[in-house]
Amino acid sequence: MEMISRSRYSVEKIGIFDLNEYEKRGDFSHQVLIDEIVAQGDRIGYTSNVKAPMTEWNMCYESAEFQKLAQIIVRHGVVPYLGAYYNNLDDIKKQTYIVVDMWGAEYRGNGDDWTQPHDHRASYCSFSYYLQTPDGCPPLVFGEMRTEIQPKEGMLVCFKGDYKHEVPKAKHEGSRIMIAGNTQVANPDNAMVDMLRMKGYEVNAPV
């Protein structure tokens, strides 16, 4: 994990993780995810902040491969990032975090595809994960933090939902293909059940 910190009125931190080892051991497949994103094409009609071909919003519910990646992102990205952000990993681990939406996007390198500045203010922790990053593809830009992150395949970027970010236009060979999403703390009742089970108690499922 690499933490990028910028201090203005408060300390702002972005977490960068390498998930390639999980892909290599077969926990999920970059190629399957790329194929699903390309097959969907544009489902949103450029009505979101993403001005490029974008999948449905809820791919974490529609795709088994997205679900596999979501679990890895929460366990090996979101939880460690929030633990480092608040300097209290033990308390962060007491909560249950869920991916509430997750989508894919393809930036085709035609000089026209881009994402306008925006934030995910309702999200506890947001993320971007990179599947394909050709030479010359555009960075992920956090303008207010004066920070640009050049994506690499297998890179996961975690950040608080209220951090404004964008992707500029660029021309390059091949497509920059990525997945983005948002997380929230799960229902407190569900979180308590999970905690009890983790401690070895037998908890019946609700009827």
Side-chain angles (χ1 to χ4, degrees):
M1 176 178 64
E2 175 187 355
M3 294 292 286
I4 298 176
S5 297
R6 295 288 183 273
S7 181
R8 296 179 68 189
Y9 301 108
S10 62
V11 175
E12 301 159 315
K13 299 179 182 178
I14 298 170
I16 299 177
F17 304 82
D18 183 352
L19 301 188
N20 277 303
E21 65 175 289
Y22 304 104
E23 200 269 344
K24 288 177 180 176
R25 77 182 190 187
D27 290 349
F28 60 94
S29 167
H30 280 176
Q31 193 57 56
V32 171
L33 292 164
I34 289 170
D35 290 345
E36 290 186 358
I37 291 169
V38 172
Q40 279 229 347
D42 181 42
R43 296 296 182 91
I44 305 301
Y46 291 54
T47 57
S48 75
N49 292 300
V50 179
K51 308 306 178 185
M54 177 180 153
T55 68
E56 299 285 359
W57 290 99
N58 57 347
M59 292 298 291
C60 51
Y61 303 115
E62 296 188 3
S63 162
E65 208 64 30
F66 271 75
Q67 291 172 12
K68 293 176 186 177
L69 177 60
Q71 292 175 0
I72 296 294
I73 286 175
V74 169
R75 187 177 303 121
H76 300 290
V78 171
V79 169
Y81 165 70
L82 291 173
Y85 188 99
Y86 293 110
N87 295 316
N88 199 331
L89 182 59
D90 289 340
D91 282 349
I92 292 298
K93 285 183 174 179
K94 293 177 183 177
Q95 305 297 326
T96 299
Y97 301 90
I98 56 173
V99 176
V100 291
D101 48 33
M102 191 176 184
W103 61 95
E106 178 185 10
Y107 298 81
R108 296 163 295 181
N110 53 14
D112 294 323
D113 293 349
W114 64 299
T115 293
Q116 63 190 19
H118 69 289
D119 60 45
H120 304 174
R121 193 164 295 273
S123 173
Y124 200 61
C125 175
S126 298
F127 60 83
S128 296
Y129 182 68
Y130 297 93
L131 301 167
Q132 185 171 291
T133 56
D135 290 342
C137 71
L140 174 62
V141 178
F142 294 87
E144 294 178 347
M145 296 175 66
R146 299 179 178 86
T147 299
E148 294 186 2
I149 297 173
Q150 190 59 46
K152 299 177 182 178
E153 293 175 13
M155 176 188 285
L156 172 68
V157 181
C158 291
F159 53 96
K160 295 298 294 298
D162 59 355
Y163 289 5
K164 189 165 287 188
H165 55 285
E166 62 188 285
V167 178
K169 296 179 180 180
K171 287 191 175 183
H172 48 82
E173 295 294 329
S175 293
R176 175 188 188 271
I177 301 177
M178 55 81 66
I179 290 170
N182 298 309
T183 65
Q184 291 286 355
V185 177
N187 181 292
D189 293 337
N190 294 340
M192 180 59 70
V193 167
D194 290 344
M195 287 176 59
L196 290 171
R197 285 176 174 161
M198 184 174 62
K199 292 178 180 294
Y201 294 97
E202 183 176 346
V203 182
N204 295 326
V207 295

